[in-house]
Amino acid sequence: VLCFLFVLQKTIRPMWAVRGLHKSAVEVLKCPAPEDTVTASFGKFISEIKPQHLSSVVLHRSKRMVLDSIGVGVIGSTTDVFELALQHCQHMYTSDDISSVYGRSGTRLSPTLAAFVNGVATHSMDFDDTWHPATHPSGAVLPAVLALSDMMPANRKPSGLDFLLAFNVGIEIQGRLMRFSNEAHNIPKRFHPPSVVGTMGSAAACARLLSLDHSQCSHALAIAASLSGAPMANAATQSKPLHIGNASRLGLEAALLASRGLEASPLVLDAVAGVAGFSAFYEDYVPQPLESPRGDSHMFLLEEQDIGFKRFPAHLGMHWVADAAASVHKLLVGVGPGTVSPAQIQDIQLRVPKSKYINRPFPESEHEARHSFQFNACSALLDGEVTVQSFTPSAMSRPELLDLLSRVHMEHPHDNPANFNRMYGEVQVTLAGGDILKGRCDTFYGHWRNPLTNESLRKKFRNNAGTVLPSEKVERLIDVVDELDKHENCTSLLSQLQ
């Protein structure tokens, strides 16, 4: 039908004035040719991008993302929600021993199910990376690329450089789509971003790894759009990690379906009046074509926008209040007996952005605690830091912590927007004697403006991966990822994940 319309456009154009065609019909006839659409430009980019377009900066940053994502996935394999997802896949589906599962020696699943459970593991503690505009980019892409690489025959495994190219394509597509919306720059209210752009990124990465042609790549994205979207109401529950698992799994499925010839809308990324495509997820969506690389150069978004890595497993917004509260802790320890006691404190005032799903005065689960300004501020105030252990039942139920939580009040200053690039966290503590102590954080250590050093990132990885893997395998993974772009195939990486 589309082809007929485009031919028809050339045939009848001189007759418009004479025949007086209805305006809506004229607009249909003026639709761009398929090769000129936003959707087609994305497909063309995915199919034409080459390893030589990866700069040294992009390679360096993306390898840091891969290492961190594996680490949080491995420690995530110890969580209850991961165990539930794994048991579901093992009990409900026929065994298909192809793709490895994080941290579970000898356990393999079908590629799509492995992508699912490893994605769940990655987000099970909310420890995975965060980008701007706001999303968790790696967790939706890496498990799918790993599972697909496992699926490929031994003599056709992708090289380390091809693996990194596919991964970077998945990151790039997410960033490009989110930049079409101002709404996407803020802390989300409607859809959880990884369930939207993450699915698209996974599909793009897998389409690149499968070497699909530009039309198949466009269809993979359009199929993925039909498999996208999860509501923010499930934040701070066991279901939130499923968003990342599904994004990884369903993006892989979209690419595999496109490889078999399944087709979808050729205009899914375009702004078509009256028929929502990807614009259904963002009300102010204004798409632009994505230019294909010219020569040997392409500026990936990762080159100009670095990634945020978390030092402890909680929503990114928690890192501002934790650092502000930790600075007050140092002051309290300096004027007191060396520890912080609730008896010292009369009132705690938090000045943070207004965001309903991370305003949780008395969290009742670890997942709610990871999404509570109040909990993370009080934990840092009491202990001087927030760690993995802060979210254990014993730490959460401490009487002194509950006592501090009862003294917290929140303010939402107008100059503190719900935006990870512009927000701040401020903690003001009024002591029992009336003195006031203040701490403020504008950019925490780990934010893209103040990135973790390689030493800090590797320390985080060792702590996370070392909970499950032997130390020699942990060190081997660090070396393999660091040299991944030089490996002839990615088997060296795939063999170290269990």
PDB file of all heavy atoms in Angstrom, residues 73-74 77-78 82-83 86 90 97-109 117-118 150 465 467-470 472-473 494-498:
ATOM      1  N   GLY A  73      25.262  -7.996  38.158  1.00  0.00           N
ATOM      2  CA  GLY A  73      24.469  -9.167  37.790  1.00  0.00           C
ATOM      3  C   GLY A  73      24.848 -10.387  38.608  1.00  0.00           C
ATOM      4  O   GLY A  73      23.984 -11.169  39.035  1.00  0.00           O
ATOM      5  N   VAL A  74      26.145 -10.555  38.851  1.00  0.00           N
ATOM      6  CA  VAL A  74      26.603 -11.715  39.621  1.00  0.00           C
ATOM      7  C   VAL A  74      26.126 -11.625  41.072  1.00  0.00           C
ATOM      8  O   VAL A  74      25.589 -12.591  41.622  1.00  0.00           O
ATOM      9  CB  VAL A  74      28.138 -11.844  39.555  1.00  0.00           C
ATOM     10  CG1 VAL A  74      28.634 -12.909  40.527  1.00  0.00           C
ATOM     11  CG2 VAL A  74      28.578 -12.212  38.138  1.00  0.00           C
ATOM     12  N   SER A  77      22.543 -12.372  41.432  1.00  0.00           N
ATOM     13  CA  SER A  77      22.129 -13.777  41.345  1.00  0.00           C
ATOM     14  C   SER A  77      21.952 -14.405  42.727  1.00  0.00           C
ATOM     15  O   SER A  77      21.516 -15.552  42.834  1.00  0.00           O
ATOM     16  CB  SER A  77      23.143 -14.584  40.531  1.00  0.00           C
ATOM     17  OG  SER A  77      24.367 -14.760  41.244  1.00  0.00           O
ATOM     18  N   THR A  78      22.267 -13.656  43.793  1.00  0.00           N
ATOM     19  CA  THR A  78      22.064 -14.156  45.161  1.00  0.00           C
ATOM     20  C   THR A  78      20.734 -13.697  45.749  1.00  0.00           C
ATOM     21  O   THR A  78      20.414 -14.058  46.882  1.00  0.00           O
ATOM     22  CB  THR A  78      23.202 -13.662  46.080  1.00  0.00           C
ATOM     23  OG1 THR A  78      23.128 -12.228  46.221  1.00  0.00           O
ATOM     24  CG2 THR A  78      24.562 -14.038  45.527  1.00  0.00           C
ATOM     25  N   PHE A  82      15.743 -12.926  41.940  1.00  0.00           N
ATOM     26  CA  PHE A  82      16.424 -13.694  40.896  1.00  0.00           C
ATOM     27  C   PHE A  82      16.074 -15.169  41.020  1.00  0.00           C
ATOM     28  O   PHE A  82      15.802 -15.841  40.014  1.00  0.00           O
ATOM     29  CB  PHE A  82      17.935 -13.500  40.990  1.00  0.00           C
ATOM     30  CG  PHE A  82      18.717 -14.426  40.094  1.00  0.00           C
ATOM     31  CD1 PHE A  82      18.908 -14.118  38.753  1.00  0.00           C
ATOM     32  CD2 PHE A  82      19.251 -15.617  40.574  1.00  0.00           C
ATOM     33  CE1 PHE A  82      19.608 -14.968  37.910  1.00  0.00           C
ATOM     34  CE2 PHE A  82      19.949 -16.478  39.741  1.00  0.00           C
ATOM     35  CZ  PHE A  82      20.131 -16.154  38.404  1.00  0.00           C
ATOM     36  N   GLU A  83      16.092 -15.698  42.231  1.00  0.00           N
ATOM     37  CA  GLU A  83      15.798 -17.115  42.443  1.00  0.00           C
ATOM     38  C   GLU A  83      14.386 -17.449  41.976  1.00  0.00           C
ATOM     39  O   GLU A  83      14.148 -18.487  41.349  1.00  0.00           O
ATOM     40  CB  GLU A  83      15.961 -17.464  43.922  1.00  0.00           C
ATOM     41  CG  GLU A  83      15.821 -18.945  44.241  1.00  0.00           C
ATOM     42  CD  GLU A  83      16.882 -19.814  43.572  1.00  0.00           C
ATOM     43  OE1 GLU A  83      18.037 -19.356  43.445  1.00  0.00           O
ATOM     44  OE2 GLU A  83      16.549 -20.950  43.162  1.00  0.00           O
ATOM     45  N   LEU A  86      14.434 -17.480  38.134  1.00  0.00           N
ATOM     46  CA  LEU A  86      15.138 -18.654  37.622  1.00  0.00           C
ATOM     47  C   LEU A  86      14.286 -19.909  37.782  1.00  0.00           C
ATOM     48  O   LEU A  86      14.165 -20.714  36.839  1.00  0.00           O
ATOM     49  CB  LEU A  86      16.474 -18.811  38.350  1.00  0.00           C
ATOM     50  CG  LEU A  86      17.322 -20.022  37.938  1.00  0.00           C
ATOM     51  CD1 LEU A  86      17.674 -19.966  36.459  1.00  0.00           C
ATOM     52  CD2 LEU A  86      18.601 -20.093  38.786  1.00  0.00           C
ATOM     53  N   GLN A  90      12.964 -22.447  34.842  1.00  0.00           N
ATOM     54  CA  GLN A  90      13.350 -23.859  34.847  1.00  0.00           C
ATOM     55  C   GLN A  90      12.144 -24.788  34.930  1.00  0.00           C
ATOM     56  O   GLN A  90      12.144 -25.872  34.351  1.00  0.00           O
ATOM     57  CB  GLN A  90      14.292 -24.133  36.025  1.00  0.00           C
ATOM     58  CG  GLN A  90      15.666 -23.508  35.848  1.00  0.00           C
ATOM     59  CD  GLN A  90      16.548 -23.696  37.080  1.00  0.00           C
ATOM     60  OE1 GLN A  90      16.072 -23.583  38.210  1.00  0.00           O
ATOM     61  NE2 GLN A  90      17.826 -23.966  36.864  1.00  0.00           N
ATOM     62  N   ASP A  97      19.758 -26.063  27.016  1.00  0.00           N
ATOM     63  CA  ASP A  97      21.029 -25.682  27.639  1.00  0.00           C
ATOM     64  C   ASP A  97      21.954 -24.986  26.644  1.00  0.00           C
ATOM     65  O   ASP A  97      22.863 -25.604  26.079  1.00  0.00           O
ATOM     66  CB  ASP A  97      21.725 -26.921  28.220  1.00  0.00           C
ATOM     67  CG  ASP A  97      20.869 -27.618  29.265  1.00  0.00           C
ATOM     68  OD1 ASP A  97      20.023 -26.925  29.845  1.00  0.00           O
ATOM     69  OD2 ASP A  97      21.046 -28.822  29.485  1.00  0.00           O
ATOM     70  N   ILE A  98      21.735 -23.692  26.447  1.00  0.00           N
ATOM     71  CA  ILE A  98      22.527 -22.943  25.470  1.00  0.00           C
ATOM     72  C   ILE A  98      23.282 -21.789  26.119  1.00  0.00           C
ATOM     73  O   ILE A  98      24.499 -21.676  25.987  1.00  0.00           O
ATOM     74  CB  ILE A  98      21.615 -22.413  24.340  1.00  0.00           C
ATOM     75  CG1 ILE A  98      21.018 -23.574  23.542  1.00  0.00           C
ATOM     76  CG2 ILE A  98      22.401 -21.472  23.422  1.00  0.00           C
ATOM     77  CD1 ILE A  98      20.016 -23.143  22.487  1.00  0.00           C
ATOM     78  N   SER A  99      22.567 -20.926  26.824  1.00  0.00           N
ATOM     79  CA  SER A  99      23.159 -19.675  27.306  1.00  0.00           C
ATOM     80  C   SER A  99      23.343 -19.700  28.822  1.00  0.00           C
ATOM     81  O   SER A  99      22.491 -20.199  29.563  1.00  0.00           O
ATOM     82  CB  SER A  99      22.280 -18.483  26.906  1.00  0.00           C
ATOM     83  OG  SER A  99      22.174 -18.405  25.489  1.00  0.00           O
ATOM     84  N   SER A 100      24.470 -19.144  29.266  1.00  0.00           N
ATOM     85  CA  SER A 100      24.840 -19.208  30.680  1.00  0.00           C
ATOM     86  C   SER A 100      24.021 -18.249  31.530  1.00  0.00           C
ATOM     87  O   SER A 100      23.487 -17.247  31.047  1.00  0.00           O
ATOM     88  CB  SER A 100      26.329 -18.920  30.846  1.00  0.00           C
ATOM     89  OG  SER A 100      26.642 -17.627  30.365  1.00  0.00           O
ATOM     90  N   VAL A 101      23.950 -18.571  32.809  1.00  0.00           N
ATOM     91  CA  VAL A 101      23.231 -17.780  33.802  1.00  0.00           C
ATOM     92  C   VAL A 101      24.248 -17.231  34.793  1.00  0.00           C
ATOM     93  O   VAL A 101      25.126 -17.951  35.264  1.00  0.00           O
ATOM     94  CB  VAL A 101      22.177 -18.646  34.528  1.00  0.00           C
ATOM     95  CG1 VAL A 101      21.542 -17.879  35.674  1.00  0.00           C
ATOM     96  CG2 VAL A 101      21.114 -19.118  33.544  1.00  0.00           C
ATOM     97  N   TYR A 102      24.146 -15.951  35.106  1.00  0.00           N
ATOM     98  CA  TYR A 102      25.088 -15.311  36.019  1.00  0.00           C
ATOM     99  C   TYR A 102      25.231 -16.101  37.325  1.00  0.00           C
ATOM    100  O   TYR A 102      24.238 -16.386  38.007  1.00  0.00           O
ATOM    101  CB  TYR A 102      24.624 -13.898  36.376  1.00  0.00           C
ATOM    102  CG  TYR A 102      24.881 -12.830  35.336  1.00  0.00           C
ATOM    103  CD1 TYR A 102      24.075 -11.684  35.285  1.00  0.00           C
ATOM    104  CD2 TYR A 102      25.922 -12.923  34.423  1.00  0.00           C
ATOM    105  CE1 TYR A 102      24.302 -10.672  34.362  1.00  0.00           C
ATOM    106  CE2 TYR A 102      26.149 -11.920  33.489  1.00  0.00           C
ATOM    107  CZ  TYR A 102      25.340 -10.803  33.457  1.00  0.00           C
ATOM    108  OH  TYR A 102      25.567  -9.808  32.540  1.00  0.00           O
ATOM    109  N   GLY A 103      26.463 -16.424  37.652  1.00  0.00           N
ATOM    110  CA  GLY A 103      26.771 -16.943  38.976  1.00  0.00           C
ATOM    111  C   GLY A 103      26.285 -18.339  39.276  1.00  0.00           C
ATOM    112  O   GLY A 103      26.419 -18.798  40.412  1.00  0.00           O
ATOM    113  N   ARG A 104      25.709 -19.050  38.306  1.00  0.00           N
ATOM    114  CA  ARG A 104      25.177 -20.396  38.544  1.00  0.00           C
ATOM    115  C   ARG A 104      25.918 -21.405  37.675  1.00  0.00           C
ATOM    116  O   ARG A 104      25.557 -21.646  36.523  1.00  0.00           O
ATOM    117  CB  ARG A 104      23.673 -20.438  38.260  1.00  0.00           C
ATOM    118  CG  ARG A 104      22.847 -19.537  39.160  1.00  0.00           C
ATOM    119  CD  ARG A 104      22.984 -19.952  40.622  1.00  0.00           C
ATOM    120  NE  ARG A 104      22.292 -19.037  41.516  1.00  0.00           N
ATOM    121  CZ  ARG A 104      21.091 -19.268  42.033  1.00  0.00           C
ATOM    122  NH1 ARG A 104      20.443 -20.379  41.736  1.00  0.00           N
ATOM    123  NH2 ARG A 104      20.538 -18.391  42.862  1.00  0.00           N
ATOM    124  N   SER A 105      26.950 -21.983  38.229  1.00  0.00           N
ATOM    125  CA  SER A 105      27.771 -22.932  37.496  1.00  0.00           C
ATOM    126  C   SER A 105      26.937 -24.115  37.026  1.00  0.00           C
ATOM    127  O   SER A 105      26.192 -24.719  37.803  1.00  0.00           O
ATOM    128  CB  SER A 105      28.916 -23.426  38.390  1.00  0.00           C
ATOM    129  OG  SER A 105      29.722 -24.351  37.706  1.00  0.00           O
ATOM    130  N   GLY A 106      27.037 -24.423  35.736  1.00  0.00           N
ATOM    131  CA  GLY A 106      26.331 -25.562  35.176  1.00  0.00           C
ATOM    132  C   GLY A 106      24.892 -25.288  34.789  1.00  0.00           C
ATOM    133  O   GLY A 106      24.234 -26.150  34.212  1.00  0.00           O
ATOM    134  N   THR A 107      24.384 -24.105  35.093  1.00  0.00           N
ATOM    135  CA  THR A 107      22.996 -23.772  34.753  1.00  0.00           C
ATOM    136  C   THR A 107      22.951 -23.013  33.437  1.00  0.00           C
ATOM    137  O   THR A 107      23.601 -21.983  33.289  1.00  0.00           O
ATOM    138  CB  THR A 107      22.346 -22.914  35.850  1.00  0.00           C
ATOM    139  OG1 THR A 107      22.361 -23.637  37.078  1.00  0.00           O
ATOM    140  CG2 THR A 107      20.915 -22.555  35.485  1.00  0.00           C
ATOM    141  N   ARG A 108      22.198 -23.551  32.499  1.00  0.00           N
ATOM    142  CA  ARG A 108      22.017 -22.883  31.207  1.00  0.00           C
ATOM    143  C   ARG A 108      20.537 -22.913  30.829  1.00  0.00           C
ATOM    144  O   ARG A 108      19.801 -23.814  31.210  1.00  0.00           O
ATOM    145  CB  ARG A 108      22.860 -23.535  30.109  1.00  0.00           C
ATOM    146  CG  ARG A 108      24.351 -23.268  30.275  1.00  0.00           C
ATOM    147  CD  ARG A 108      25.204 -23.855  29.159  1.00  0.00           C
ATOM    148  NE  ARG A 108      26.602 -23.471  29.334  1.00  0.00           N
ATOM    149  CZ  ARG A 108      27.160 -22.408  28.795  1.00  0.00           C
ATOM    150  NH1 ARG A 108      26.443 -21.617  28.007  1.00  0.00           N
ATOM    151  NH2 ARG A 108      28.431 -22.118  29.010  1.00  0.00           N
ATOM    152  N   LEU A 109      20.143 -21.914  30.066  1.00  0.00           N
ATOM    153  CA  LEU A 109      18.766 -21.787  29.615  1.00  0.00           C
ATOM    154  C   LEU A 109      18.756 -21.471  28.126  1.00  0.00           C
ATOM    155  O   LEU A 109      19.809 -21.269  27.511  1.00  0.00           O
ATOM    156  CB  LEU A 109      18.058 -20.663  30.379  1.00  0.00           C
ATOM    157  CG  LEU A 109      17.920 -20.800  31.905  1.00  0.00           C
ATOM    158  CD1 LEU A 109      17.420 -19.486  32.494  1.00  0.00           C
ATOM    159  CD2 LEU A 109      16.981 -21.941  32.271  1.00  0.00           C
ATOM    160  N   VAL A 117      16.594 -13.791  32.873  1.00  0.00           N
ATOM    161  CA  VAL A 117      17.013 -13.944  34.273  1.00  0.00           C
ATOM    162  C   VAL A 117      18.268 -13.125  34.570  1.00  0.00           C
ATOM    163  O   VAL A 117      18.414 -12.578  35.681  1.00  0.00           O
ATOM    164  CB  VAL A 117      17.228 -15.428  34.662  1.00  0.00           C
ATOM    165  CG1 VAL A 117      15.925 -16.198  34.537  1.00  0.00           C
ATOM    166  CG2 VAL A 117      18.340 -16.078  33.862  1.00  0.00           C
ATOM    167  N   ASN A 118      19.175 -12.989  33.603  1.00  0.00           N
ATOM    168  CA  ASN A 118      20.365 -12.174  33.843  1.00  0.00           C
ATOM    169  C   ASN A 118      20.008 -10.686  33.905  1.00  0.00           C
ATOM    170  O   ASN A 118      20.640  -9.913  34.636  1.00  0.00           O
ATOM    171  CB  ASN A 118      21.413 -12.434  32.765  1.00  0.00           C
ATOM    172  CG  ASN A 118      22.073 -13.800  32.921  1.00  0.00           C
ATOM    173  OD1 ASN A 118      22.026 -14.400  33.991  1.00  0.00           O
ATOM    174  ND2 ASN A 118      22.679 -14.298  31.860  1.00  0.00           N
ATOM    175  N   ASP A 150      26.312 -16.652  23.117  1.00  0.00           N
ATOM    176  CA  ASP A 150      26.317 -18.064  23.518  1.00  0.00           C
ATOM    177  C   ASP A 150      25.610 -18.932  22.485  1.00  0.00           C
ATOM    178  O   ASP A 150      25.975 -20.091  22.259  1.00  0.00           O
ATOM    179  CB  ASP A 150      25.607 -18.220  24.866  1.00  0.00           C
ATOM    180  CG  ASP A 150      26.561 -18.248  26.049  1.00  0.00           C
ATOM    181  OD1 ASP A 150      27.700 -18.721  25.876  1.00  0.00           O
ATOM    182  OD2 ASP A 150      26.173 -17.793  27.133  1.00  0.00           O
ATOM    183  N   ALA A 465      31.274  -9.340  42.418  1.00  0.00           N
ATOM    184  CA  ALA A 465      31.493 -10.646  41.792  1.00  0.00           C
ATOM    185  C   ALA A 465      32.085 -11.644  42.781  1.00  0.00           C
ATOM    186  O   ALA A 465      31.814 -12.851  42.706  1.00  0.00           O
ATOM    187  CB  ALA A 465      32.411 -10.491  40.576  1.00  0.00           C
ATOM    188  N   THR A 467      31.328 -12.211  45.737  1.00  0.00           N
ATOM    189  CA  THR A 467      30.341 -12.873  46.593  1.00  0.00           C
ATOM    190  C   THR A 467      29.963 -14.245  46.060  1.00  0.00           C
ATOM    191  O   THR A 467      29.436 -15.081  46.802  1.00  0.00           O
ATOM    192  CB  THR A 467      29.056 -12.029  46.710  1.00  0.00           C
ATOM    193  OG1 THR A 467      28.490 -11.843  45.403  1.00  0.00           O
ATOM    194  CG2 THR A 467      29.339 -10.679  47.337  1.00  0.00           C
ATOM    195  N   VAL A 468      30.228 -14.501  44.775  1.00  0.00           N
ATOM    196  CA  VAL A 468      29.820 -15.752  44.141  1.00  0.00           C
ATOM    197  C   VAL A 468      31.001 -16.463  43.476  1.00  0.00           C
ATOM    198  O   VAL A 468      31.168 -17.677  43.614  1.00  0.00           O
ATOM    199  CB  VAL A 468      28.723 -15.497  43.082  1.00  0.00           C
ATOM    200  CG1 VAL A 468      28.354 -16.781  42.347  1.00  0.00           C
ATOM    201  CG2 VAL A 468      27.483 -14.889  43.734  1.00  0.00           C
ATOM    202  N   LEU A 469      31.824 -15.712  42.751  1.00  0.00           N
ATOM    203  CA  LEU A 469      32.897 -16.312  41.946  1.00  0.00           C
ATOM    204  C   LEU A 469      34.203 -16.368  42.729  1.00  0.00           C
ATOM    205  O   LEU A 469      34.474 -15.508  43.561  1.00  0.00           O
ATOM    206  CB  LEU A 469      33.102 -15.486  40.665  1.00  0.00           C
ATOM    207  CG  LEU A 469      31.884 -15.310  39.750  1.00  0.00           C
ATOM    208  CD1 LEU A 469      32.258 -14.418  38.568  1.00  0.00           C
ATOM    209  CD2 LEU A 469      31.362 -16.662  39.270  1.00  0.00           C
ATOM    210  N   PRO A 470      35.039 -17.383  42.442  1.00  0.00           N
ATOM    211  CA  PRO A 470      36.359 -17.438  43.079  1.00  0.00           C
ATOM    212  C   PRO A 470      37.222 -16.268  42.618  1.00  0.00           C
ATOM    213  O   PRO A 470      37.029 -15.728  41.524  1.00  0.00           O
ATOM    214  CB  PRO A 470      36.925 -18.787  42.606  1.00  0.00           C
ATOM    215  CG  PRO A 470      36.154 -19.129  41.372  1.00  0.00           C
ATOM    216  CD  PRO A 470      34.799 -18.532  41.551  1.00  0.00           C
ATOM    217  N   GLU A 472      40.190 -15.937  41.508  1.00  0.00           N
ATOM    218  CA  GLU A 472      40.937 -16.034  40.248  1.00  0.00           C
ATOM    219  C   GLU A 472      40.041 -15.769  39.040  1.00  0.00           C
ATOM    220  O   GLU A 472      40.466 -15.170  38.049  1.00  0.00           O
ATOM    221  CB  GLU A 472      41.625 -17.399  40.109  1.00  0.00           C
ATOM    222  CG  GLU A 472      40.721 -18.611  40.122  1.00  0.00           C
ATOM    223  CD  GLU A 472      40.483 -19.150  41.542  1.00  0.00           C
ATOM    224  OE1 GLU A 472      40.767 -18.414  42.518  1.00  0.00           O
ATOM    225  OE2 GLU A 472      40.027 -20.304  41.648  1.00  0.00           O
ATOM    226  N   LYS A 473      38.783 -16.182  39.127  1.00  0.00           N
ATOM    227  CA  LYS A 473      37.848 -15.909  38.030  1.00  0.00           C
ATOM    228  C   LYS A 473      37.479 -14.430  37.997  1.00  0.00           C
ATOM    229  O   LYS A 473      37.305 -13.840  36.926  1.00  0.00           O
ATOM    230  CB  LYS A 473      36.603 -16.782  38.178  1.00  0.00           C
ATOM    231  CG  LYS A 473      35.657 -16.704  36.991  1.00  0.00           C
ATOM    232  CD  LYS A 473      34.631 -17.832  36.996  1.00  0.00           C
ATOM    233  CE  LYS A 473      35.231 -19.131  36.491  1.00  0.00           C
ATOM    234  NZ  LYS A 473      34.207 -20.181  36.235  1.00  0.00           N
ATOM    235  N   LEU A 494      32.571 -15.240  27.754  1.00  0.00           N
ATOM    236  CA  LEU A 494      31.419 -16.100  28.025  1.00  0.00           C
ATOM    237  C   LEU A 494      31.749 -17.204  29.014  1.00  0.00           C
ATOM    238  O   LEU A 494      30.908 -17.606  29.820  1.00  0.00           O
ATOM    239  CB  LEU A 494      30.913 -16.719  26.717  1.00  0.00           C
ATOM    240  CG  LEU A 494      30.468 -15.742  25.621  1.00  0.00           C
ATOM    241  CD1 LEU A 494      30.131 -16.503  24.337  1.00  0.00           C
ATOM    242  CD2 LEU A 494      29.272 -14.922  26.085  1.00  0.00           C
ATOM    243  N   SER A 495      32.990 -17.680  28.993  1.00  0.00           N
ATOM    244  CA  SER A 495      33.386 -18.825  29.830  1.00  0.00           C
ATOM    245  C   SER A 495      33.612 -18.445  31.289  1.00  0.00           C
ATOM    246  O   SER A 495      33.780 -19.333  32.133  1.00  0.00           O
ATOM    247  CB  SER A 495      34.651 -19.469  29.269  1.00  0.00           C
ATOM    248  OG  SER A 495      35.745 -18.543  29.321  1.00  0.00           O
ATOM    249  N   GLN A 496      33.606 -17.154  31.611  1.00  0.00           N
ATOM    250  CA  GLN A 496      33.963 -16.720  32.970  1.00  0.00           C
ATOM    251  C   GLN A 496      32.764 -16.280  33.807  1.00  0.00           C
ATOM    252  O   GLN A 496      32.927 -15.842  34.926  1.00  0.00           O
ATOM    253  CB  GLN A 496      34.945 -15.543  32.881  1.00  0.00           C
ATOM    254  CG  GLN A 496      36.243 -15.845  32.147  1.00  0.00           C
ATOM    255  CD  GLN A 496      37.079 -16.908  32.835  1.00  0.00           C
ATOM    256  OE1 GLN A 496      37.212 -16.909  34.055  1.00  0.00           O
ATOM    257  NE2 GLN A 496      37.630 -17.818  32.051  1.00  0.00           N
ATOM    258  N   LEU A 497      31.541 -16.418  33.296  1.00  0.00           N
ATOM    259  CA  LEU A 497      30.382 -15.793  33.948  1.00  0.00           C
ATOM    260  C   LEU A 497      29.726 -16.656  35.011  1.00  0.00           C
ATOM    261  O   LEU A 497      28.824 -16.192  35.701  1.00  0.00           O
ATOM    262  CB  LEU A 497      29.347 -15.410  32.885  1.00  0.00           C
ATOM    263  CG  LEU A 497      29.843 -14.411  31.825  1.00  0.00           C
ATOM    264  CD1 LEU A 497      28.764 -14.167  30.800  1.00  0.00           C
ATOM    265  CD2 LEU A 497      30.287 -13.117  32.467  1.00  0.00           C
ATOM    266  N   GLN A 498      30.150 -17.913  35.140  1.00  0.00           N
ATOM    267  CA  GLN A 498      29.503 -18.808  36.109  1.00  0.00           C
ATOM    268  C   GLN A 498      30.505 -19.247  37.179  1.00  0.00           C
ATOM    269  O   GLN A 498      31.697 -19.284  36.935  1.00  0.00           O
ATOM    270  CB  GLN A 498      28.947 -20.046  35.412  1.00  0.00           C
ATOM    271  CG  GLN A 498      27.826 -19.737  34.428  1.00  0.00           C
ATOM    272  CD  GLN A 498      27.252 -20.997  33.827  1.00  0.00           C
ATOM    273  OE1 GLN A 498      27.966 -21.921  33.461  1.00  0.00           O
ATOM    274  NE2 GLN A 498      25.934 -21.057  33.729  1.00  0.00           N
TER     275      GLN A 498
END
